[in-house]
Amino acid sequence: MERYVFKTTLFYMAVVLIVIVAVYPFYYAILTSFETGTAIFNPNVLPEAFSLANYQAVLSKGAFIRSVGNSLLIAGVTVAFALLMAVTASYALARVRFRGRGLLLMTILAVSMFPQIAVLSGLYELVNLFGLYNSPFALILSYTIFTLPFTVWVLTTFMRDLPVEIEEAAIVDGATPWVIITRVFLPLLWPAMVTTGLLAFIGAWNEFLFALTFTISETQRTVPVAIALLSGASQQEIPWGTIMAASVLVTVPLIVLVLIFQRKIVAGLTAGGVKG
Amino acid sequence: MARIELKNVRKSYGAVEVIKGIDLDIRKGEFMVFVGPSGCGKSTLLRLISGLEEITDGDLLFDNERVNNVVPSKRGIAMVFQSYALYPHMKVYDNMAFGMQLSKSNPKEIEARVRKAAEMLQIDHLLDRLPKQLSGGQRQRVAIGRAIVRDPRVFLFDEPLSNLDAALRVDTRLEIARLNHDMEDVTMIYVTHDQVEAMTLADRICVLRDGKVEQVGTPAELYESPNSVFVAGFIGSPKMNFLKGSFAAAFDCTTLGIRPEHISVVDEARGIWRGKVIHGENLGSDYFLFVEIGAEAPLVVRRDGKEGLPVGAEIALAPEIPNLHRFGPDDRPV
Ligand SMILES: Nc1ncnc2c1ncn2[C@@H]1O[C@H](COP(=O)(O)OP(=O)(O)O)[C@@H](O)[C@H]1O
Ligand SMILES: [Mg+2]
């Protein structure tokens, strides 16, 4: 009994420690976003001041609102593109027997292992070649390229676990591959699509390097770049308060999204193990 | 409604030949059962007929028309799978209507056909449910209903009962038999590894072994005159007794087969084999004696349920001579 209490206590202490370490930076950002002036540079653990001035400052900047719009558009289109291509590709990879299928899957996985910086210059050439520099499509293209391998892999694994006989029943019923994908498999793939779609969205939403490299004008910036380039009253001043407020503003929608879909995400990540 | 002919049909996966040249003529409106041990190619053969699997060589004809290259949905077939294969996200009604919806049929006609099939199978009260809200037996009925709605020329069943428990299996078997009577014109092909299902349902049985046809015939024909040791041993439960060596030599053959019901316990004087009862199984109506007569395996003898004998009893046995099956060294009858 004593042993049990001891173990449980230890367990919860570990949990609390992990939660604190994980959550503290965000907590600190939120705290800071409500502070102004010199209070910002005063390290504190409990809320000391409450002012919405930083939020007002961010939201009154037209360029920042525009960046949020850019990010929404780019992340949204990236997810739509990636899912469309990944679902069709994973059907082929999971269900159509063809030569070199295993090799193709490994190549797709290998592509996703390159660090961003390694492909940056190549991608830059590509973007220039297509005349996409400083347009949202430059980012949509590069994010799709980087998201697809993961999306394809997850969906392929998932699609493989769908019973073959269901597909065959649909074939006997006269379904074409497109009908099988859209009317038989899609409804079953929902959890996996939500999971991968959300991860792709978060990836595109938070991406910095490409966004910085492929855009030049203020109107084409995405949120992470816009936040990093927020300027204060003078050259020397870094406007921490506004940066924190902006960060909180763009993170909250993600958290809400994740909370809404969290049950689906868990279902998506663990599905395949059990057949319904 | 179709006559189906297979002419030297073969199927290979890579270098491995699974179906090794099958000639078979399935008559219009016939209930044909493919039976054989697991892995002999029954499912593959059925899938070749359905078009889900491509034929490597040979001809497949539906009503004298070659259909090797016709897609499954255009062959006029309907298939019932072992795992039901219902669309999990569709209600029962939509499961049954899906095929007709895809072929853009008139919605009124779809509704009429679905309702009629549902009534036939007594699942009309389940039309608004999802498959996961149904029991195994109900799911299999829906799968059969989906096949009926397609109004096929040929029904294909791949071990449709093997996921059901024993009692349900008997009920559903009856259901399928009834369906076969109600739909006289429709050809049915049914795959099973269970010889009882084969015997009870079939007009004719095709016994497959290792990708080849071993024998085709009515259940009675296969039971009474099997043309190989394999068929003799496969059809009938409990199995036919096989005697070799001197027991067989006494009847001028290599392998002597005799079914349990064709052996009787007789007086010492008329006995042909003598031995000791080592085990008894009382099934109520039947009583099976296991008698050790010095052969490789004990001889199984069927008696009436009330005529059991105590274990250890020394008895004499005699076969009914007309019902002996004598096989030569090539395992064929002599
Ligand atoms: N897609 C496939 N690729 C390779 N071999 C297969 C394939 N499908 C079936 N086989 C082989 O064909 C043989 C017959 O299989 P099957 O028709 O399923 O047997 P049954 O239904 O009689 O149990 C088996 O040995 C199986 O391993
Ligand atoms: Mg099989």
Side-chain angles (χ1 to χ4, degrees):
Chain A
M1 186 63 206
E2 238 168 66
R3 242 183 105 79
Y4 175 75
V5 172
F6 178 68
K7 272 189 168 174
T8 322
T9 320
L10 218 60
F11 171 74
Y12 281 106
M13 274 166 61
V15 169
V16 168
L17 191 73
I18 291 168
V19 170
I20 287 176
V21 169
V23 170
Y24 184 74
F26 301 102
Y27 173 72
Y28 195 75
I30 294 173
L31 277 194
T32 314
S33 72
F34 289 121
E35 294 170 356
T36 51
T38 51
I40 288 175
F41 301 100
N42 237 346
N44 55 316
V45 177
L46 296 172
E48 282 177 352
F50 185 79
S51 148
L52 290 175
N54 292 325
Y55 288 90
Q56 267 161 2
V58 170
L59 291 175
S60 62
K61 279 194 215 268
F64 182 75
I65 307 291
R66 172 89 206 235
S67 302
V68 173
N70 287 341
S71 277
L72 274 179
L73 173 81
I74 290 169
V77 175
T78 302
V79 168
F81 257 18
L83 284 185
L84 177 71
M85 286 195 269
V87 166
T88 39
S90 60
Y91 176 75
L93 287 167
R95 283 302 162 80
V96 184
R97 276 179 246 153
F98 59 89
R99 212 180 260 264
R101 179 166 71 168
L103 186 70
L104 192 61
L105 262 174
M106 290 320 287
T107 314
I108 291 174
L109 189 65
V111 165
S112 69
M113 289 173 184
F114 282 93
Q116 277 187 316
I117 193 77
V119 296
L120 189 65
S121 54
L123 210 51
Y124 186 83
E125 293 293 327
L126 205 65
V127 164
N128 266 336
L129 184 74
F130 292 144
L132 298 176
Y133 185 71
N134 201 29
S135 91
F137 294 106
L139 297 181
I140 291 172
L141 174 74
S142 33
Y143 295 167
T144 308
I145 290 175
F146 262 80
T147 306
L148 264 181
F150 174 75
T151 318
V152 168
W153 259 79
V154 171
L155 291 185
T156 302
T157 323
F158 205 87
M159 190 103 61
R160 259 192 203 145
D161 286 343
L162 295 180
V164 184
E165 292 192 338
I166 291 184
E167 184 185 350
E168 292 180 340
I171 293 175
V172 171
D173 267 341
T176 58
W178 178 248
V179 170
I180 293 175
I181 292 175
T182 52
R183 292 189 53 189
V184 179
F185 279 178
L186 265 199
L188 305 175
L189 282 176
W190 256 122
M193 303 222 341
V194 169
T195 311
T196 50
L198 204 57
L199 290 174
F201 189 91
I202 293 173
W205 184 263
N206 287 335
E207 203 281 336
F208 181 74
L209 184 63
F210 291 162
L212 182 68
T213 317
F214 298 151
T215 57
I216 182 79
S217 56
E218 201 174 12
T219 53
Q220 298 296 339
R221 275 177 199 155
T222 58
V223 163
V225 180
I227 291 177
L229 299 182
L230 274 178
S231 48
S234 70
Q235 277 278 300
Q236 281 73 36
E237 187 196 338
I238 298 175
W240 284 117
T242 359
I243 289 179
M244 292 305 181
S247 308
V248 171
L249 277 182
V250 300
T251 313
V252 167
L254 288 189
I255 295 178
V256 171
L257 270 183
V258 172
L259 288 182
I260 291 175
F261 289 119
Q262 66 158 336
R263 308 197 72 210
K264 289 277 182 199
I265 293 180
V266 174
L269 290 175
T270 59
V274 220
K275 286 209 181 92
Chain B
M1 274 174 282
R3 170 178 179 209
I4 299 170
E5 287 164 277
L6 290 85
K7 291 186 178 159
N8 197 23
V9 167
R10 291 171 186 274
K11 174 69 187 175
S12 311
Y13 291 109
V16 188
E17 191 165 56
V18 177
I19 299 294
K20 301 170 180 168
I22 289 200
D23 290 293
L24 189 62
D25 191 347
I26 302 171
R27 298 171 198 142
K28 206 167 166 161
E30 183 169 46
F31 198 122
M32 170 65 86
V33 174
F34 294 164
V35 70
S38 182
C40 70
K42 309 177 293 288
S43 296
T44 307
L45 189 57
L46 193 74
R47 292 162 59 81
L48 292 177
I49 295 174
S50 73
L52 287 169
E53 213 66 67
E54 220 175 302
I55 295 172
T56 310
D57 196 15
D59 297 314
L60 173 65
L61 291 87
F62 279 28
D63 288 331
N64 302 319
E65 180 198 348
R66 190 170 185 269
V67 294
N68 284 41
N69 299 317
V70 177
V71 296
S73 56
K74 297 268 186 287
R75 290 189 186 189
I77 53 141
M79 189 143 170
V80 176
F81 296 88
Q82 178 177 349
S83 66
Y84 325 129
L86 300 177
Y87 310 120
H89 58 290
M90 291 186 204
K91 299 220 165 112
V92 167
Y93 181 93
D94 296 309
N95 259 287
M96 291 169 70
F98 190 60
M100 286 189 80
Q101 285 166 356
L102 287 182
S103 62
K104 305 255 187 316
S105 304
N106 173 351
K108 286 232 174 65
E109 199 195 328
I110 298 181
E111 162 126 28
R113 287 247 289 265
V114 171
R115 300 232 170 256
K116 185 161 163 251
E119 271 161 36
M120 239 169 117
L121 294 164
Q122 289 144 26
I123 47 171
D124 35 342
H125 59 295
L126 303 174
L127 289 176
D128 284 328
R129 297 216 197 151
L130 286 170
K132 65 172 176 227
Q133 298 164 321
L134 304 178
S135 70
Q138 289 171 333
R139 285 181 207 185
Q140 196 53 287
R141 276 163 193 249
V142 174
I144 295 172
R146 177 170 67 183
I148 294 175
V149 170
R150 289 184 52 74
D151 193 19
R153 293 195 281 178
V154 185
F155 261 97
L156 306 174
F157 296 90
D158 192 354
E159 311 218 10
L161 305 185
S162 52
N163 277 4
L164 304 177
D165 62 49
L168 253 167
R169 208 175 293 170
V170 175
D171 289 350
T172 316
R173 196 170 77 204
L174 211 70
E175 194 86 28
I176 293 175
R178 225 194 59 207
L179 201 70
N180 181 39
H181 290 301
D182 290 351
M183 306 169 68
E184 281 171 14
D185 299 338
V186 182
T187 311
M188 298 195 175
I189 306 178
Y190 186 107
V191 163
T192 179
H193 63 265
D194 179 353
Q195 59 90 23
V196 177
E197 270 173 41
M199 294 295 279
T200 50
L201 286 171
D203 291 327
R204 282 198 303 158
I205 297 176
C206 171
V207 182
L208 292 170
R209 179 193 191 182
D210 198 17
K212 289 201 216 82
V213 174
E214 189 76 12
Q215 188 174 359
V216 184
T218 64
E221 277 166 13
L222 295 195
Y223 194 78
E224 283 157 17
S225 34
N227 70 3
S228 69
V229 172
F230 177 80
V231 175
F234 196 80
I235 302 286
S237 169
K239 268 180 66 155
M240 183 185 280
N241 295 293
F242 291 113
L243 297 169
K244 296 198 159 157
S246 57
F247 292 102
F251 290 89
D252 293 328
C253 60
T254 322
T255 307
L256 181 70
I258 180 77
R259 296 200 184 273
E261 68 266 34
H262 296 146
I263 308 177
S264 16
V265 180
V266 293
D267 309 337
E268 181 58 38
R270 286 175 43 225
I272 295 192
W273 302 310
R274 282 164 195 82
K276 191 162 86 178
V277 177
I278 56 166
H279 179 62
E281 282 178 357
N282 189 357
L283 302 184
S285 60
D286 297 325
Y287 198 107
F288 294 103
L289 296 176
F290 292 69
V291 186
E292 182 58 65
I293 59 166
E296 282 167 32
L299 209 57
V300 183
V301 179
R302 192 199 82 90
R303 304 203 80 200
D304 207 66
K306 297 192 183 62
E307 298 178 344
L309 286 172
V311 171
E314 296 278 352
I315 54 174
L317 300 166
E320 296 171 13
I321 301 298
N323 288 318
L324 282 174
H325 300 275
R326 293 155 58 232
F327 300 98
D330 56 354
D331 283 353
R332 300 286 165 192
V334 291

